[in-house]
Amino acid sequence: EIHERLVGSEMCIRDSYKAMLKLPVKQMRRIYAHFFLRLSETEIARAERVSIAAVSASIAQGLRHLRQYLSKE
């Protein structure tokens, strides 16, 4: 059972990575910064010199795309 869970986890990670690569670079970079580097939307906006709303909208749109890509696979 543990082996099956690990294999399932690896497949999920691989599928998520492949889906991330399909995103526009800006969305991918912001999702990575927010969820993997744990930067706040404010920190990302400040670093990119854009509005927080722009970062928030970009992340939300990227997550919608990821859900679509992952539901197809």
Side-chain angles (χ1 to χ4, degrees), residues 6-70:
L6 287 174
V7 170
S9 258
E10 288 176 17
M11 289 174 61
C12 182
I13 291 168
R14 193 174 320 125
D15 291 344
S16 297
Y17 179 74
K18 285 165 48 176
M20 289 272 292
L21 292 176
K22 294 179 182 180
L23 293 174
V25 172
K26 194 179 294 185
Q27 289 176 4
M28 181 179 65
R29 184 180 65 234
R30 289 174 176 171
I31 287 173
Y32 180 81
H34 188 59
F35 292 100
F36 293 88
L37 300 179
R38 299 205 179 263
L39 296 177
S40 69
E41 292 177 359
T42 302
E43 291 169 317
I44 297 167
R46 192 175 298 131
E48 294 185 5
R49 294 189 170 117
V50 297
S51 71
I52 297 167
V55 171
S56 182
S58 177
I59 289 172
Q61 187 175 22
L63 292 174
R64 280 193 300 275
H65 285 137
L66 283 176
R67 279 188 212 97
Q68 289 173 349
Y69 295 145
L70 291 171

